[in-house]
């Protein structure tokens, strides 16, 4: 039997892991770090973290997106979470926030199997329905051939033993192929576009609603395909800031799906609401992959291959020479390795040189940006009221978002009262990050020191978000969708 072994890191113990395994490397949002283009399923796109309340319980609602630029309805294979990737959402508490040190980790591990392995129909054997009374995960979505389940494990790093605690498990719903997954789409008709977001859990499409897992100690989880909620003209940004104007709009992520992991954590599980916390996420792979004729095997300890905190830091601030290093390191090292990228942002010089901003953007001594990005964890004030949300379900079709919501966060007057400080804090990023936050316009506003409303001429997502868990929008229909 032929066996080929590829090892991350040499037998001498050298720590150049990701450079030695061509199919897994560092990543951040979408396609910014060079090596991550080879490992889509481990490529992190965006992290979200914000305060919500449901049925009298206050939560830290978090989400991690992976697998960028999923063309809806692709076949014969289908996008999925990778059983060989460890997906983790980390929460920093107390002194760990400023240090960039994880306090509690929530780990998602996946397992995939086929109910009819001899079939040529890899994903669907028939139009997929929902059996909400099913006790076996294999029976939840009749018509689905590829069944993917996951286990959520909590690791408390304050404990000397650090014994993992399994919180529960869930089932991944089908991707939105089209006619075979009609219940995702308007009128439950696979020929129609995907359903827009809703404001009530009862109004969620039945595939999504059935996939919400109730875990131990009040945690709730979801993992599945969703619309890519990042909206911006990234093409123009990297085309020398040649932004479009008027009716000419180009949402670079418009029309694409991703895979999203969402987790609600009761605030009482984190020690209550009178605190600031930090959130970031990572993906990891086994140190060694053994390729064999009949089956592959992954061995050894896990090695981090991707990291994601605040939006845009790795893309817009970190230099090429350090992008892959960023993804192999922890936020605890950010002050030493990456703070100068925030303190002296090259993006400021680019804005001055290419756009001729007057007065010019401050290019050095940007301690305000250091405060946002270093360490690169999303900071969230848990003492505020629930975040205002973007999304559907409103009677006002022209303004479906919550009253007071602004995609520009604090730069649009969207603020929340903090019981912790007695003052006002941003309603969205950089105080947490919500679905609907226009992070490009917010980041440029922070860079300029004032509002940069509509800088990239893309001011909304291509489909309305949900105002209830899992918040991310319905995955776009493979049979009926548009790009850009």
């Amino acid at each position: 039997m032929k066996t080929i072994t590829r090892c991350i890191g040499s037998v001498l113990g050298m720590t150049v892991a990701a450079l030695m395994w061509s199919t897994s490397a560092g990543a951040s949002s979408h396609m910014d770090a060079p090596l991550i283009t080879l490992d889509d399923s481990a490529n992190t796109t965006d992290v979200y973290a914000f305060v919500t309340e449901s049925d009298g319980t206050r939560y830290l609602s978090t989400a991690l997106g992976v697998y960028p630029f999923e063309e809806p309805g692709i076949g014969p294979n289908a996008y999925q979470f990778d059983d060989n990737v460890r997906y983790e959402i980390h929460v920093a508490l107390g002194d760990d926030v400023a240090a960039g040190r994880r306090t509690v980790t929530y780990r998602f591990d996946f397992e995939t199997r086929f109910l009819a392995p001899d079939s040529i129909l890899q994903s669907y054997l028939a139009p997929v329905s929902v059996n909400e009374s099913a006790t076996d995960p294999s029976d939840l979505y009749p018509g689905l051939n590829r069944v993917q389940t996951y286990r959520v494990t909590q690791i408390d790093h304050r404990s000397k033993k650090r014994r993992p605690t399994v919180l529960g498990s869930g089932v991944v719903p089908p991707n939105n192929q089209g006619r075979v997954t009609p219940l995702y789409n308007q009128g439950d008709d696979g020929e129609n576009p995907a359903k827009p977001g809703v404001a009530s859990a009862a109004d969620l499409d039945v595939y999504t609603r059935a996939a919400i897992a109730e875990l131990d100690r009040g945690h709730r989880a979801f993992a599945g395909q969703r619309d890519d909620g990042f909206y911006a003209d990234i093409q123009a940004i990297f085309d020398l800031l040649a932004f479009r104007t008027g009716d000419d709009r180009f949402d670079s992520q418009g029309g694409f799906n991703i895979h999203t992991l969402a987790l609600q954590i009761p605030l009482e599980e984190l020690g209550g609401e009178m605190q600031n916390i930090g959130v970031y996420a990572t993906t990891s792979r086994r140190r060694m992959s053994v390729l064999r004729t009949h089956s592959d095997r992954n061995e050894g300890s896990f090695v981090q291959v991707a990291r994601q905190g605040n939006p845009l830091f790795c893309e817009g601030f970190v230099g090429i020479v350090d992008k892959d290093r960023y993804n192999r390191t922890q936020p605890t090292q950010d002050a030493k390795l990456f703070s100068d990228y925030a303190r002296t942002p090259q993006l400021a010089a680019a804005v001055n040189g290419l756009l001729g901003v007057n007065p010019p953007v401050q290019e050095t001594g940007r301690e305000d940006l250091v405060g946002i990005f270093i360490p690169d964890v999303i900071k969230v004030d848990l003492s505020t009221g629930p975040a205002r949300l973007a999304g559907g379900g409103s009677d006002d079709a022209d303004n479906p978002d919550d009253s007071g919501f602004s995609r520009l966060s604090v730069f649009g007057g969207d603020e929340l009262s903090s019981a912790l400080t007695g003052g006002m804090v941003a309603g969205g990023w950089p105080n947490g990050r919500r679905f609907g936050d226009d992070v490009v316009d917010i980041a440029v506003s922070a860079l300029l020191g004032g509002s940069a409303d509509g800088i990239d001429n893309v001011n909304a997502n291509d489909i309305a978000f949900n105002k209830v868990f899992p918040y991310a929008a319905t995955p776009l229909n493979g049979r009926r969708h548009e790009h850009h």
Side-chain angles (χ1 to χ4, degrees), residues 22 66 144 148 183-184 206 391 444 448 483:
S22 66
V66 297
L144 193 63
Q148 191 166 55
L183 306 182
Y184 275 131
V206 66
V444 175
L448 298 178
H483 288 298

Side-chain angles (χ1 to χ4, degrees), residues 302 386 466:
F302 279 89
N466 289 297

